Amino acid sequence: MIDNPAKIITIEDVMEMLAISSKKTIYTYIQQGKLNPINKDDWHIEGRYEFDIEDVVRLQEELKKPGLTTKEVAQQLDISVTTVNKYIKQELLPAFQEEYRGINCYFVNEEDLDAFKRTHEVGRKPSKRHFYHAEQNIALFQLFVKKSEEKEQFARIISVEDPIMAVTEQHEEITLEELLHRGFEAAYEIESKKRLLKKAMLHLLSSKQPMPNHSFISSWIYFIST
């Protein structure tokens, strides 16, 4: 006779406790000796396997994830699992391999992921510092002009992170310092976001002036119009 029937659970209960959707997995654990039904030899009497809940709790602890899965890391970084695996192989993101539920998987510690986030800007939405240099009052894609008696020359800001960079009509990339040294001046002053967007887009539509990459334009419009 069973001393404490309350401790006895069915295979369906085990599946719920272990968050398993297939009985086949439970049978595999039984074959591997990870689960031991209390009626393994005479299960046919009840017509089902029965388990001691303490044995299932023990296995539940063993099956706890040792870290973050690559899928969880991908969700936190807003990138694909393939990209996460690439970072791991390139040793940019520390990870370790361990068996989990019968499969050898990569895992990442929370601390290592936090450190990675601090040193890499992967999958993040553009921040203000990518589009505007407050100290210099200069915005990404801002137009600069050099006026002369012969012909006006144009240049455009392509990066506001130090050093601030610009590109000329001749596709020459130079620093802001060099740009000013050559006699270029801002074609307009930085104003409100809406007015800045309107002015910048009007200038971008002119094919005679240096044009930035399309993906940069999309990100910049997203930021400046919100």
Side-chain angles (χ1 to χ4, degrees), residues 36-76:
N36 297 296
I38 60 173
N39 61 341
K40 187 175 182 179
D41 296 328
D42 55 359
W43 64 270
H44 55 279
I45 297 177
E46 296 290 338
R48 64 185 184 185
Y49 280 130
E50 293 181 336
F51 304 85
D52 187 323
I53 191 170
E54 291 184 359
D55 190 39
V56 180
V57 170
R58 172 195 55 75
L59 180 58
Q60 192 177 41
E61 289 296 315
E62 290 181 7
L63 294 177
K64 278 187 177 180
K65 289 181 296 182
L68 296 170
T69 64
T70 52
K71 181 179 180 180
E72 291 170 332
V73 172
Q75 290 173 342
Q76 288 201 34

Side-chain angles (χ1 to χ4, degrees), residues 137-138 142-145 179-180 184-190:
N137 191 33
I138 288 177
Q142 185 176 353
L143 186 69
F144 277 67
V145 60
L179 189 71
L180 297 176
F184 283 83
E185 297 179 349
Y188 50 85
E189 292 297 321
I190 302 302

Side-chain angles (χ1 to χ4, degrees), residues 37-150:
I38 60 173
N39 61 341
K40 187 175 182 179
D41 296 328
D42 55 359
W43 64 270
H44 55 279
I45 297 177
E46 296 290 338
R48 64 185 184 185
Y49 280 130
E50 293 181 336
F51 304 85
D52 187 323
I53 191 170
E54 291 184 359
D55 190 39
V56 180
V57 170
R58 172 195 55 75
L59 180 58
Q60 192 177 41
E61 289 296 315
E62 290 181 7
L63 294 177
K64 278 187 177 180
K65 289 181 296 182
L68 296 170
T69 64
T70 52
K71 181 179 180 180
E72 291 170 332
V73 172
Q75 290 173 342
Q76 288 201 34
L77 296 179
D78 193 23
I79 57 178
S80 68
V81 173
T82 301
T83 302
V84 172
N85 287 327
K86 182 180 73 174
Y87 291 151
I88 291 173
K89 290 180 180 178
Q90 292 175 341
E91 297 184 353
L92 296 174
L93 179 62
F96 59 95
Q97 283 186 300
E98 194 165 313
E99 185 177 320
Y100 176 64
R101 299 197 172 187
I103 302 175
N104 200 29
C105 307
Y106 275 114
F107 290 95
V108 176
N109 289 322
E110 286 273 8
E111 299 79 8
D112 291 329
L113 180 58
D114 290 339
F116 182 84
K117 288 178 180 178
R118 289 193 297 269
T119 55
H120 298 76
E121 295 183 359
V122 179
R124 296 179 184 174
K125 289 184 178 180
S127 63
K128 185 174 181 179
R129 68 185 181 85
H130 292 100
F131 302 95
Y132 178 68
H133 196 293
E135 187 177 335
Q136 296 283 354
N137 191 33
I138 288 177
L140 187 64
F141 308 142
Q142 185 176 353
L143 186 69
F144 277 67
V145 60
K146 180 181 180 180
K147 298 181 180 180
S148 64
E149 294 182 358
E150 297 179 1

Side-chain angles (χ1 to χ4, degrees), residues 144-155 168-170 182-185 206-210:
F144 277 67
V145 60
K146 180 181 180 180
K147 298 181 180 180
S148 64
E149 294 182 358
E150 297 179 1
K151 179 185 177 182
E152 287 186 335
Q153 297 180 45
F154 296 96
T168 68
E169 289 178 291
Q170 291 73 36
R182 294 185 185 184
F184 283 83
E185 297 179 349
S206 173
S207 59
K208 294 181 180 180
Q209 300 166 6

